[in-house]
Amino acid sequence: MTDLRDAGPVDLILVGGGHTNVQVMTAFARQPEPRLRLTLVTDRLTTPYSGMLPGCVAGLYAVEEMHIDLARLARATGTRLIHAAAIGLDRPGKRLLLADGAMVSYDLLSLNVGIAPDLSGIEGADRHGIPVKPISGFLTRLDALLKALQKPDGPRRIAIVGGGAAGVELAFAMRARLNREAPGWGIDPASFDLVLASAEGLVPALNDSVRRKVEAALARHRIGFVSDFRVVAITARSLRAQDGRELPADAVLLSTDARAPSWLAGTGLPLAKDGSVETRETLQALGDDAIFAVGDCATVVADPRPKAGVFAVRQGPALVRGLRAVLGGEPIPRHQPQREFLTLLMTGDGSAIAGRGTWFSLEGRLVWRWKDWIDRRFMAMFSEFDRDRTP
Ligand SMILES: Cc1cc2nc3c(=O)[nH]c(=O)nc-3n(C[C@H](O)[C@H](O)[C@H](O)COP(=O)(O)OP(=O)(O)OC[C@H]3O[C@@H](n4cnc5c(N)ncnc54)[C@H](O)[C@@H]3O)c2cc1C
């Protein structure tokens, strides 16, 4: 990489206001690096905090509570904001290409653009499925679904596709929302059938003890579960699995395996199987030291971790340390992600299930309060920037 130690101003372009890049904005506002000029390129002016999404679907949080206002954060942290989608890189020329044809020059770049469910193998998913990401699109379509559910002849059989933590939480969240709102529509909540379909088992990444608790909670909330059901087609009335089985469903939420945005393939950066950018433990892209990649859209080759917001959050301080090291001409410290991490699954009824490592699990109201506290604490990091610093 070019030695930036004694150079003039250094342009850092943050691409995507994901969980990591937003922390870069606040960190350099709190402790500025005088030569550093920050720009955020984002396709949306608010960014969701996914940990609170199931609670929002359940009706426990307002949409605004789970979003960071990027325009306000940019103003308050002295970050230039470009409201546009990134679609490519000119790496030799060190320029980021935007959807409107504009180019933005960079000295350093941090990619934090997330991933979205891969719908390529599911016929009819674009017409009949509601993918959980991008979250803004999901929330809009969820509103439309809730309106349809209120009709006497509206959908009654709701399928959630994806047996990972996100799919499970969405299923609990939908049941909680229906329990809360259906009586007001004059509809018995029990008339809605909910089923969770998984291509593999139930929360396969978590331990057996968590799995048993999730199974019991699904049964308690009258949510069916179908395993080894790899969905290949969705129609207006059903889901079809690879082995030919059919499941009736007239509304389908999709939280399946995800892929990084396709434009990353055109950057020439080495990519992992899921299309994410391969990085070193310094969070720099393989083969390009000027580019950092973090969160779900990146994979640390030497130590790949599951795609979870908790890792993107923990990478925030590491990325800031790395950027300060680059500016000082020092070696970038390696980031060591946690081996074991805490998963907290809300069940929508004021309770939650915790899991960690190969054996730990815990369930109850205190666990929900713990999760709520962690999530609110993350969002509070941005509240001191709630007021604009510019007149
Ligand atoms: C229902 C659900 C519940 C979840 N719950 C949890 C949980 O409790 N704990 C947990 O650890 N993980 C959870 N996850 C996983 C979590 O969502 C992801 O791991 C996390 O969002 C990844 O964050 P990120 O910073 O990589 O990207 P994101 O949060 O997805 O942010 C990416 C940002 O980049 C922007 N962007 C995208 N493309 C472009 C572009 N081309 N140009 C400019 N900007 C762009 C987007 O608008 C967005 O603001 C959950 C996921 C779901 C679906």
Side-chain angles (χ1 to χ4, degrees):
M1 188 187 346
T2 327
D3 188 353
L4 297 173
R5 226 176 338 178
D6 301 316
V10 174
D11 273 309
L12 167 62
I13 310 297
L14 302 170
V15 187
H19 296 56
T20 318
N21 275 351
V22 287
Q23 295 181 69
V24 173
M25 294 164 74
T26 56
F28 284 112
R30 287 194 185 106
Q31 198 186 326
E33 291 281 349
R35 289 185 304 126
L36 191 67
R37 294 195 303 218
L38 252 69
T39 300
L40 172 69
V41 173
T42 177
D43 60 347
R44 308 199 187 263
L45 291 174
T46 60
T47 196
Y49 173 54
S50 55
M52 291 170 94
L53 175 64
C56 179
V57 173
L60 302 171
Y61 301 120
V63 170
E64 304 75 50
E65 276 181 291
M66 60 156 290
H67 279 84
I68 300 167
D69 182 331
L70 292 174
R72 195 157 57 188
L73 186 65
R75 278 195 300 274
T77 56
T79 305
R80 173 171 66 138
L81 178 84
I82 298 179
H83 182 198
I87 56 163
L89 284 178
D90 161 23
R91 285 169 50 214
K94 289 202 165 173
R95 290 182 307 171
L96 175 74
L97 175 61
L98 307 182
D100 59 9
M103 297 273 207
V104 190
S105 296
Y106 64 85
D107 298 300
L108 299 168
L109 188 95
S110 171
L111 293 167
N112 186 197
V113 290
I115 52 177
D118 180 10
L119 308 181
S120 57
I122 309 181
E123 194 190 318
D126 48 347
R127 263 165 302 141
H128 304 297
I130 305 181
V132 70
K133 285 198 169 181
I135 288 175
S136 54
F138 171 73
L139 290 173
T140 307
R141 294 184 67 183
L142 179 71
D143 271 349
L145 174 63
L146 288 169
K147 286 199 179 82
L149 297 177
Q150 298 174 29
K151 296 184 184 151
D153 58 347
R156 291 295 176 268
R157 298 167 307 184
I158 304 168
I160 296 95
V161 180
V168 163
E169 277 195 297
L170 268 187
F172 287 130
M174 277 308 288
R175 177 56 86 200
R177 184 70 171 261
L178 292 169
N179 284 345
R180 176 184 288 248
E181 296 201 1
W185 309 331
I187 300 175
D188 178 2
S191 61
F192 292 99
D193 281 338
L194 260 66
V195 66
L196 181 66
S198 174
E200 298 168 30
L202 187 61
V203 285
L206 304 180
N207 67 50
D208 284 344
S209 168
V210 174
R211 203 162 7 263
R212 280 193 294 274
K213 287 188 167 64
V214 171
E215 249 163 22
L218 287 174
R220 218 167 40 242
H221 291 280
R222 291 171 290 103
I223 300 170
F225 175 66
V226 188
S227 68
D228 303 309
F229 194 97
R230 183 167 291 279
V231 177
V232 291
I234 307 176
T235 68
R237 292 270 160 259
S238 68
L239 299 176
R240 195 175 73 246
Q242 201 169 31
D243 59 12
R245 278 177 296 162
E246 296 237 353
L247 205 57
D250 31 31
V252 180
L253 308 185
L254 294 163
S255 178
T256 52
D257 293 340
R259 275 198 77 72
S262 54
W263 66 268
L264 292 175
T267 61
L269 293 167
L271 303 182
K273 254 195 353 228
D274 62 1
S276 59
V277 175
E278 292 189 323
T279 74
R280 292 190 269 131
E281 286 160 298
T282 56
L283 308 178
Q284 289 164 295
L286 292 187
D288 197 330
D289 284 354
I291 297 178
F292 291 77
V294 285
D296 281 1
C297 75
T299 296
V300 182
V301 175
D303 195 5
R305 313 299 295 132
K307 302 295 182 199
V310 61
F311 292 107
V313 168
R314 292 288 178 95
Q315 284 177 337
L319 177 58
V320 171
R321 273 195 301 276
L323 291 165
R324 289 196 200 278
V326 172
L327 291 167
E330 289 154 21
I332 303 178
R334 284 168 46 206
H335 172 55
Q336 197 89 57
Q338 317 126 271
R339 278 268 122 239
E340 293 186 345
F341 64 101
L342 180 70
T343 301
L344 293 164
L345 305 171
M346 66 130 234
T347 50
D349 54 355
S351 187
I353 299 168
R356 188 183 168 104
T358 53
W359 62 271
F360 175 79
S361 77
L362 190 68
E363 183 174 11
R365 304 188 89 75
L366 266 179
V367 181
W368 163 249
R369 284 175 48 191
W370 184 19
K371 174 171 170 50
D372 178 57
W373 177 78
I374 290 173
D375 290 339
R376 286 185 190 275
R377 190 184 53 165
F378 177 79
M379 292 305 278
M381 286 204 304
F382 305 95
S383 58
E384 75 171 91
F385 296 95
D386 264 359
R387 253 174 292 117
D388 293 352
R389 285 183 184 171
T390 49

